[in-house]
Amino acid sequence: MKKCKQLLCCLLSMLLLAGCSAGAAEPDPEAAESSTQYMDAMDTFMTLTAYGSNRDDALNAAVEEIQRLEALWSVGSEDSEVSQLNREGTAVLSEDTAALVERALEIYDSTGGAFDITVYPLMELWGFTTQDYQVPEASDLQAALALVGADRVTYDSSTSTVTLGEGQSIDLGGIAKGYTSQRIMELFEEMGVTSAMVSLGGNIQCLGTKPDGSLWRVGIQDPVGSEGAIVAVIEVEDQAVITSGSYERYFTDEATGETYHHIIDPATGYPADSGLISVTIVTDDGALGDALSTALFIMGLEEGTAYWQAHSDEFQAVFITTDSEIYVTAGLEDSVTADAGYTLLT
Ligand code: ADP
Ligand code: MG
């Protein structure tokens, strides 16, 4: 009997030990191994890098997810949910589109209308949707401007139904990539990846740290320098780093030599002319970061700083002015380095 008890004790402790070692995370022998996938989607070039033994499955799942989301939102495809909505003026939205539209409308409110997904008629008029660029006639501009205003969009969350105002159409291009990078981070986590970085056309989002525990280093492009030149580096962990710049997409009017970029001020119908050349948002919320990079670019340094002061728990920012001055919000003081120096905003 005693022997039996001893044996039982022994067995139990072995079981406990086994249980314990299975409970503690086994070190991943491939933790430092990485894979990278490249793809063209959402009108831009994307690079996805993930580390660890599940990296390839996770990357394949991410590529599929990006293609799924693109098919929902592409204004270039007649079958997309957004095209359908723009044609019919009302639609019952799928879960992701509903979440994105709801978010976009919240940010419209909080930014005083600077971020407005109903700018689509203006994007069309300027030719940004077809690359058949033109400076609009004043009368055409007034007609398109009359269609802009997300306060006329209604969203019923109980039925996921969105209804546009008369003649309105929407474009999720200012928020879709941030939502997507956020979604990929969730997907990676679900699939056991703890270290990853994606760049969706310059919209960067990082998961965890690098496998060796060091921070990710994300460069901010020099808006006036040669391609690839960097004016500042931000070190982050588990954050999105999202930039909107007037140098990203623009055309030059041959008659006047004037350039026009793709971030439209919904108040004027013209490309925003706020004294900024780029705005970078750092936040753990990709969709917010994407929308705010666009909105704060339109607001300009002064109004953008006031917005940050009221929402400093949600994001940090780096502003670059047209005269190449760099301004950094207080929360990034220890994370940003810039050779040319910068002014800290408090
Ligand atoms: P990118 O698409 O180059 O990353 P942004 O994130 O700044 O740049 O988004 C610009 C896109 O957002 C435009 O191409 C257009 O689709 C849309 N857009 C332009 N102006 C606005 C605005 N005021 N509010 C919301 N979306 C906008
Ligand atoms: Mg944006």
Side-chain angles (χ1 to χ4, degrees):
M1 188 66 197
K2 201 173 169 199
K3 248 193 179 152
C4 204
K5 249 189 185 163
Q6 267 174 357
L7 195 70
L8 199 71
C9 259
C10 194
L11 264 173
L12 253 175
S13 57
M14 272 166 68
L15 274 174
L16 277 172
L17 272 173
C20 254
S21 67
E26 285 279 339
D28 180 350
E30 295 179 45
E33 307 281 322
S34 71
S35 297
T36 299
Q37 291 224 21
Y38 303 94
M39 68 188 290
D40 273 307
M42 300 185 178
D43 236 358
T44 194
F45 182 67
M46 302 186 171
T47 308
L48 319 176
T49 300
Y51 290 81
S53 51
N54 293 334
R55 62 191 185 277
D56 290 316
D57 286 346
L59 286 172
N60 289 335
V63 168
E64 263 180 44
E65 181 67 356
I66 291 169
Q67 286 163 343
R68 185 182 72 82
L69 295 174
E70 179 180 33
L72 292 177
W73 303 331
S74 167
V75 279
S77 145
E78 295 217 340
D79 303 330
S80 76
E81 221 174 307
V82 169
S83 294
Q84 218 171 314
L85 170 64
N86 286 342
R87 255 194 325 271
E88 300 182 1
T90 185
V92 177
L93 302 179
S94 68
E95 201 180 323
D96 288 289
T97 310
L100 193 54
V101 167
E102 201 171 3
R103 213 61 217 290
L105 294 177
E106 277 168 24
I107 299 171
Y108 168 81
D109 284 335
S110 87
T111 61
F115 186 79
D116 189 337
I117 53 174
T118 67
V119 294
Y120 193 59
L122 289 167
M123 298 305 293
E124 281 185 304
L125 185 61
W126 283 92
F128 284 108
T129 53
T130 54
Q131 290 174 6
D132 197 0
Y133 303 117
Q134 57 159 353
V135 180
E137 299 290 334
S139 58
D140 292 339
L141 200 72
Q142 287 313 313
L145 257 180
L147 300 174
V148 176
D151 50 342
R152 272 170 274 159
V153 176
T154 55
Y155 175 69
D156 178 352
S157 59
S158 66
T159 57
S160 297
T161 304
V162 71
T163 305
L164 306 180
E166 184 67 33
Q168 286 192 313
S169 48
I170 64 163
D171 169 14
L172 299 172
I175 188 170
K177 281 178 284 177
Y179 181 95
T180 303
S181 62
Q182 183 82 40
R183 188 57 210 111
I184 296 170
M185 296 300 117
E186 289 163 12
L187 190 68
F188 281 168
E189 277 194 293
E190 283 160 23
M191 297 190 69
V193 169
T194 54
S195 180
M197 179 195 255
V198 300
S199 167
L200 314 186
N203 282 26
I204 311 267
Q205 193 154 358
C206 311
L207 182 64
T209 62
K210 286 195 244 172
D212 66 3
S214 64
L215 298 174
W216 300 102
R217 292 167 56 80
V218 180
I220 300 184
Q221 200 179 320
D222 182 353
V224 292
S226 54
E227 192 153 347
I230 277 169
V231 287
V233 172
I234 311 183
E235 291 194 310
V236 292
E237 168 180 357
D238 264 328
Q239 300 273 300
V241 180
I242 296 179
T243 300
S244 282
S246 53
Y247 55 89
E248 289 174 329
R249 210 173 291 201
Y250 62 88
F251 69 95
T252 305
D253 179 22
E254 280 169 16
T256 61
E258 198 65 49
T259 62
Y260 298 92
H261 63 78
H262 72 311
I263 303 171
I264 302 292
D265 184 345
T268 64
Y270 270 83
D273 182 18
S274 62
L276 293 176
I277 197 161
S278 85
V279 175
T280 299
I281 305 290
V282 181
T283 172
D284 56 15
D285 179 341
L288 179 76
D290 195 1
L292 287 186
S293 69
T294 307
L296 269 57
F297 184 95
I298 294 165
M299 290 179 182
L301 180 61
E302 208 169 307
E303 212 184 310
T305 302
Y307 185 89
W308 166 72
Q309 285 163 338
H311 300 86
S312 58
D313 54 331
E314 294 172 37
F315 74 97
Q316 300 296 322
V318 177
F319 301 90
I320 305 181
T321 63
T322 45
D323 45 14
S324 298
E325 295 292 327
I326 303 174
Y327 293 82
V328 174
T329 59
L332 291 177
E333 186 172 10
D334 299 329
S335 319
V336 172
T337 46
D339 285 345
Y342 62 78
T343 305
L344 198 67
L345 299 166
T346 56

